[in-house]
């Protein structure tokens, strides 16, 4: 591609522009007449733009490409006119010098609009006023213009050379302006006149009798004109009307209407007419109030003795503002004004008395009528829990396994009361939870060893909660277990004694001999006894066993029978072992009278830790048996 180069910019100065020459087709004209001006730029060609100036002000829409301009000068008198032009050399333009000046004379039109009003003074509304609007000095060469007759902005009539109207005067404003306008070519000529029109009667006002209106209330509307021209109205009757007129309102005469208020907002206007004049009042808007309904009264939350409580009062219907008053025992306590729909008034009080709050009530009003009264407040006052006491039946010292235990929790406070039974070992999980309406409750259960613990109760109502004293419950061993241990020991010891006694008597059997011999002497072996018995006759044989009773230092212990030291037991031998039986009985009697702790060593060796206790029990047991045996062996 080829390369491009540009030169530096240079300023072009255009010189030698010719001075423009101004010429007019007329030097004298009348107002409204047009004139043609020509601006000559000799020797100039190209793009030219011409401008014309009247008294140094550019003529409106006078910048043209043509060097001629036709226009109508504004105003009467001399007009100094000049012109100039612009030469366009893109992108610049160059202005020429100012042309010569030409004086143009504009003469006033000889014709004028003429306005006549009759009468012009002491005019009252309703009077007929004659008004004429015409043109003066009309010549035969007069080119017809246009006439307009108006009152303020209201056009009364229009015409060419003359206008006449019979106008009924009104008093919308204190002063009325009548205008007569003449439009001729581009010339407007106006003539004004003002007249004062007095009112026959003023614009009526519509009023309602009551300051406050409630739905369906009886109302009275009055339509009145405050100012009257009695000298002009003598004998005239006023005609009153109400708009809109419906069945709610009845005309009672002299501008008074009565009826019932509607249940919604409504508008009324009234009209007064006399001597052909009608005047309408401003709009009267009536906002009938909704009367308040019987208020409701309640408290927020719980009413707790000694604490603050909020009492609410509300009418479901009623036009605000509503004034609520709290009363206590026929005395006004507090006042609250509510400006919103369906919003309750709230009053804060401190409860200092137990019982119920039935000495409180509220009243509601939204106007000059008897306030509506609520029922009495029926909320009960809650007395906080003050104390709780726990007791147990039976006494804690008499509780053992298998017993039924009753825990009784007593408390003071307003029901309903929720009672929780707790123990120290698991205070997060209540043993039982119950709700009662009396001041005491109980918890019954059968105990075992696992129930040993500290027990307490927790009483709670809507105000607070309290805990009782703690009772340490120790569960003892069941009575049958206590009796089972010594009984078992006695049974075991008795069994061991019987076994020992049998072994003892078998090893110590002896025949009857005059020589005293201890029952603990050795006996023949069993084989020899059997051989001896085989040689004996089958007849029963009597044997005597000598039982030696050691003397006691205490004559009350171990007494002997028949005043001797020897007790003889007659035993009947038999081939079936009857002799052995009698030997056992005789030796048993001896054993009972001579038993000592030394002779029981072998028997007690299995339980050395219980030896003293077992010896005491065993001796008691043996003594009883001995007495029984002694009684059974006494022949008397």
């Amino acid at each position: 591609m080829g390369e491009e180069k540009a030169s530096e910019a240079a300023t072009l100065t255009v010189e030698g522009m010719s001075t423009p020459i101004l010429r007019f087709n007329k030097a004298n004209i009348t107002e409204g007449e047009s004139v043609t001006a020509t601006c000559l730029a000799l020797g100039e060609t190209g793009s030219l733009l011409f401008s014309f100036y009247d008294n140094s002000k550019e003529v409106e829409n006078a910048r043209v490409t043509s060097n001629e301009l036709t226009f109508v000068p504004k105003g009467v008198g001399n007009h100094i006119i000049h012109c100039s032009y612009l030469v366009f050399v893109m992108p610049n333009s160059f202005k020429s010098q100012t042309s010569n000046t030409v004086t143009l004379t504009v003469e006033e039109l000889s014709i004028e609009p003429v306005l006549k009003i009759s009468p012009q003074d002491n005019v009252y509304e309703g009077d007929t006023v004659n008004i004429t609007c015409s043109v003066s000095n009309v010549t035969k060469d007069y080119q017809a213009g246009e006439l307009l007759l108006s009152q303020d902005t209201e056009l009364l009539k229009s015409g060419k050379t003359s206008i006449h109207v019979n106008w009924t005067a009104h008093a919308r404003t204190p002063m009325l302006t009548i205008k007569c306008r003449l439009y001729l070519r581009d010339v407007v000529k106006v003539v004004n006149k003002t007249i004062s029109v007095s009112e026959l009667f003023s614009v009526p006002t519509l009023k309602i009798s009551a300051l406050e209106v409630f739905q369906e209330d009886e109302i009275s509307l009055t339509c009145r004109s405050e100012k009257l021209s009695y000298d002009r109205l003598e004998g005239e009757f006023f005609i009153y009307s109400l708009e809109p007129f419906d069945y709610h309102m009845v005309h009672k005469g002299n501008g008074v209407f009565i009826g019932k208020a509607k249940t919604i907002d409504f508008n009324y206007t009234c009209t007064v007419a006399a001597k052909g004049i009608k005047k309408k009042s401003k709009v009267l808007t009536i906002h009938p109030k909704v009367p308040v309904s019987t208020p409701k009264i309640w408290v927020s939350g719980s009413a707790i003795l000694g604490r603050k409580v909020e009492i609410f009062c509300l009418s479901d219907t009623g036009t605000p503002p509503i004034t609520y008053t709290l009363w206590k025992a026929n005395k006004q306590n507090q006042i609250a004004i509510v400006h919103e729909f369906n919003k309750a008034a709230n009053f804060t009080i401190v409860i200092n008395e137990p019982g119920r709050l039935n000495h409180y009530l509220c009243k509601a009003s939204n106007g000059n009528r008897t306030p509506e009264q609520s029922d009495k407040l029926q909320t009960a006052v809650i007395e906080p829990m003050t104390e709780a006491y726990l007791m147990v039946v039976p006494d804690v010292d008499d509780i053992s396994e298998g017993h039924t235990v009753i825990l009784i929790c007593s408390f003071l406070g307003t029901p309903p009361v929720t009672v929780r039974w707790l123990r120290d070992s698991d205070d997060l999980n209540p043993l039982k939870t119950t709700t009662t309406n009396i001041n005491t409750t109980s918890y019954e259960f059968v105990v075992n060893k696992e129930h040993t613990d500290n027990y307490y109760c927790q009483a709670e109502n809507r105000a607070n909660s309290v805990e009782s004293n703690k009772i340490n419950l120790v569960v003892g061993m069941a009575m049958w277990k206590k009796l089972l241990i010594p009984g078992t020991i006695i049974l075991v010891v008795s069994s061991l004694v019987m076994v020992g006694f049998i072994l003892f008597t078998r090893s110590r059997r002896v025949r009857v001999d005059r020589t005293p011999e201890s029952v603990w002497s050795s006996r023949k072996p069993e084989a020899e006894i059997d051989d001896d018995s085989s040689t004996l006759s089958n007849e029963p044989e009597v044997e005597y066993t000598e039982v030696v009773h050691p003397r006691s230092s205490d004559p009350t212990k171990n007494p002997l029978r028949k005043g001797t030291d020897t007790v003889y037991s007659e035993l009947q031998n038999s081939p079936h072992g009857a002799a052995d039986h009698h030997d056992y009985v005789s030796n048993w009697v001896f054993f009972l009278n001579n038993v000592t702790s030394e002779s029981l060593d072998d028997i007690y060796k299995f339980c050395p830790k219980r030896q003293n206790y077992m010896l005491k029990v065993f001796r008691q047991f043996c003594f009883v048996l001995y007495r029984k045996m002694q009684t059974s062996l006494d022949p008397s």
Side-chain angles (χ1 to χ4, degrees):
M1 295 180 65
E3 293 182 357
E4 292 184 0
K5 292 184 179 180
S7 64
E8 294 181 356
T11 302
L12 178 62
T13 302
V14 178
E15 297 179 350
M17 295 175 62
S18 63
T19 301
I21 300 172
L22 178 62
R23 293 177 181 176
F24 275 91
N25 62 340
K26 296 179 181 179
N28 296 298
I29 61 175
T30 58
E31 59 178 336
E33 185 178 357
S34 62
V35 64
T36 302
T38 303
C39 188
L40 300 176
L42 300 177
E44 299 291 340
T45 60
S47 298
L48 301 177
L49 184 64
F50 294 90
S51 298
F52 296 86
Y53 299 89
D54 182 357
N55 293 330
S56 300
K57 292 183 179 179
E58 187 174 7
V59 177
E60 187 177 357
N61 298 324
R63 185 170 291 190
V64 294
T65 57
S66 172
N67 65 345
E68 286 188 0
L69 176 66
T70 300
F71 67 101
V72 177
K74 293 182 179 182
V76 177
N78 293 329
H79 295 258
I80 306 301
I81 312 298
H82 71 271
C83 70
S84 65
Y85 66 92
L86 291 175
V87 176
F88 291 95
V89 178
M90 298 304 295
N92 299 316
S93 62
F94 302 92
K95 186 176 181 179
S96 69
Q97 295 180 353
T98 302
S99 71
N100 60 306
T101 60
V102 176
T103 300
L104 179 65
T105 301
V106 179
E107 297 178 353
E108 184 178 5
L109 281 174
S110 60
I111 58 176
E112 295 283 345
V114 178
L115 178 62
K116 295 180 180 181
I117 300 175
S118 177
Q120 192 168 349
D121 299 323
N122 198 24
V123 176
Y124 283 84
E125 59 181 350
D127 290 351
T128 299
V129 178
N130 296 315
I131 303 175
T132 302
C133 176
S134 60
V135 178
S136 64
N137 301 322
V138 177
T139 60
K140 60 181 180 180
D141 59 348
Y142 165 73
Q143 294 180 356
E146 186 174 10
L147 288 173
L148 298 178
L149 179 64
S150 63
Q151 187 267 310
D152 292 336
T153 59
E154 180 184 358
L155 179 64
L156 300 179
K157 197 173 182 181
S158 63
K160 293 294 184 180
T161 58
S162 180
I163 301 172
H164 179 79
V165 296
N166 294 322
W167 179 66
T168 301
H170 60 77
R172 297 188 183 97
T173 59
M175 299 296 292
L176 298 179
T177 299
I178 308 299
K179 293 182 179 181
C180 180
R181 290 185 178 87
L182 172 63
Y183 292 90
L184 182 61
R185 295 193 292 266
D186 290 335
V187 177
V188 178
K189 294 200 173 201
V190 180
V191 57
N192 297 331
K193 287 187 177 181
T194 59
I195 60 174
S196 174
V197 179
S198 301
E199 288 185 317
L200 282 174
F201 53 90
S202 60
V203 174
T205 56
L206 183 61
K207 296 181 180 180
I208 188 168
S209 57
L211 294 177
E212 292 181 327
V213 178
F214 289 88
Q215 294 176 344
E216 303 297 333
D217 274 0
E218 293 286 341
I219 59 173
S220 175
L221 302 179
T222 302
C223 185
R224 285 283 186 273
S225 291
E226 301 297 330
K227 295 180 180 180
L228 299 175
S229 297
Y230 292 102
D231 55 338
R232 290 296 188 98
L233 289 172
E234 185 175 356
E236 289 289 334
F237 292 98
F238 288 95
I239 299 175
Y240 297 95
S241 60
L242 187 67
E243 298 177 4
F245 187 80
D246 51 33
Y247 68 93
H248 286 90
M249 306 303 297
V250 177
H251 187 202
K252 289 295 183 179
N254 200 25
V256 178
F257 302 85
I258 62 172
K260 281 190 174 183
K262 299 179 181 180
T263 58
I264 59 174
D265 294 354
F266 53 97
N267 298 325
Y268 283 117
T269 59
C270 75
T271 301
V272 179
K275 294 189 71 172
I277 303 299
K278 289 184 177 181
K279 293 185 179 182
K280 180 179 288 188
S281 70
K282 293 181 179 180
V283 175
L284 173 65
T285 301
I286 301 176
H287 305 279
K289 285 186 174 183
V290 178
V292 293
S293 59
T294 301
K296 298 176 292 185
I297 187 170
W298 73 95
V299 299
S300 173
S302 300
I304 300 173
L305 183 65
R307 299 184 189 176
K308 292 182 179 180
V309 66
E310 283 190 332
I311 298 178
F312 289 89
C313 187
L314 174 66
S315 292
D316 289 332
T317 59
T319 302
I322 301 175
T323 300
Y324 292 96
T325 308
L326 182 67
W327 292 75
K328 178 184 179 183
N330 297 323
K331 291 184 179 180
Q332 184 172 299
N333 188 277
Q334 297 181 43
I335 297 176
I337 300 176
V338 177
H339 296 271
E340 300 177 27
F341 283 100
N342 202 31
K343 182 179 180 181
N346 64 305
F347 308 95
T348 302
I349 65 169
V350 177
I351 303 175
N352 295 319
E353 302 173 1
R356 306 186 71 84
L357 297 176
N358 53 10
H359 43 276
Y360 283 98
L361 58 83
C362 74
K363 296 181 181 181
S365 174
N366 64 342
N368 296 323
R369 52 171 53 195
T370 303
E372 295 291 335
Q373 179 175 304
S374 71
D375 294 331
K376 290 184 177 180
L377 190 60
Q378 296 299 321
T379 303
V381 175
I382 299 173
E383 297 184 38
M385 306 300 298
T386 55
E387 61 178 346
Y389 178 73
L390 181 66
M391 61 180 296
V392 62
V393 175
D395 189 82
V396 291
D397 296 331
D398 297 332
I399 297 174
S400 58
E401 292 179 295
H403 279 186
T404 297
V405 172
I406 302 175
L407 297 177
I408 302 173
C409 186
S410 302
F411 36 81
L412 294 176
T414 301
V417 177
T418 299
V419 180
R420 299 177 183 87
W421 302 92
L422 302 162
R423 58 191 296 184
D424 279 352
S425 60
D426 190 8
D427 56 358
L428 296 180
N429 298 309
L431 299 171
K432 182 182 178 182
T433 300
T434 184
T435 301
T436 179
N437 288 318
I438 57 177
N439 60 358
T440 182
T441 186
S442 61
Y443 172 50
E444 182 176 335
F445 60 102
V446 178
V447 298
N448 56 37
K449 276 291 188 181
E450 295 178 353
H451 287 98
T452 298
D453 208 337
N454 287 324
Y455 289 83
Y456 61 99
C457 65
Q458 184 184 75
E460 179 181 5
N461 66 0
R462 287 167 287 176
N464 64 333
S465 65
V466 293
E467 288 186 358
S468 71
N469 56 300
K470 292 186 178 181
I471 289 182
N472 184 17
L473 193 64
V474 178
V475 180
M477 186 179 295
M479 185 60 68
W480 66 271
K481 291 185 178 181
K482 294 180 181 179
L483 297 176
L484 180 62
I485 293 174
T488 303
I489 294 173
I490 292 172
L491 179 61
V492 172
V493 171
S494 299
S495 300
L496 293 175
V497 168
M498 292 299 293
V499 172
F501 175 69
I502 294 170
L503 295 177
F504 169 74
T505 55
R506 282 184 179 275
S507 64
R508 301 297 183 179
R509 286 178 57 191
V510 294
R511 292 187 180 273
V512 176
D513 194 302
R514 300 296 295 174
T515 304
E517 195 173 55
S518 173
V519 295
W520 304 109
S521 61
S522 61
R523 298 184 60 187
K524 291 181 183 181
E526 292 297 326
E528 294 180 9
I529 296 171
D530 292 339
D531 292 340
D532 293 339
S533 64
S534 65
T535 62
L536 297 176
S537 170
N538 291 327
E539 293 295 325
E541 182 180 357
V542 178
E543 290 184 341
Y544 293 91
T545 302
E546 182 180 21
V547 181
V548 180
H549 300 274
R551 294 253 182 214
S552 174
S553 61
D554 188 355
T556 64
K557 295 183 180 179
N558 302 326
L560 298 177
R561 294 188 298 118
K562 296 183 181 181
T564 67
D565 292 338
T566 304
V567 178
Y568 290 88
S569 299
E570 184 179 354
L571 304 176
Q572 183 81 25
N573 288 331
S574 72
H576 303 289
D580 288 340
H581 171 71
H582 291 288
D583 287 342
Y584 296 158
V585 174
S586 299
N587 288 322
W588 173 243
V589 174
F590 174 80
F591 174 76
L592 292 177
N593 284 288
N594 295 278
V595 65
T596 64
S597 60
E598 288 80 4
S599 62
L600 294 175
D601 288 342
D602 293 335
I603 298 173
Y604 301 152
K605 62 184 179 181
F606 70 96
C607 52
K609 293 182 180 180
R610 297 285 185 176
Q611 187 168 338
N612 292 335
Y613 174 73
M614 291 173 62
L615 178 58
K616 180 180 177 182
V617 175
F618 178 69
R619 279 183 173 175
Q620 293 176 355
F621 175 70
C622 291
F623 179 73
V624 173
L625 290 180
Y626 165 68
R627 299 300 293 173
K628 293 288 185 181
M629 292 294 293
Q630 197 176 42
T631 302
S632 63
L633 295 175
D634 188 354
S636 62

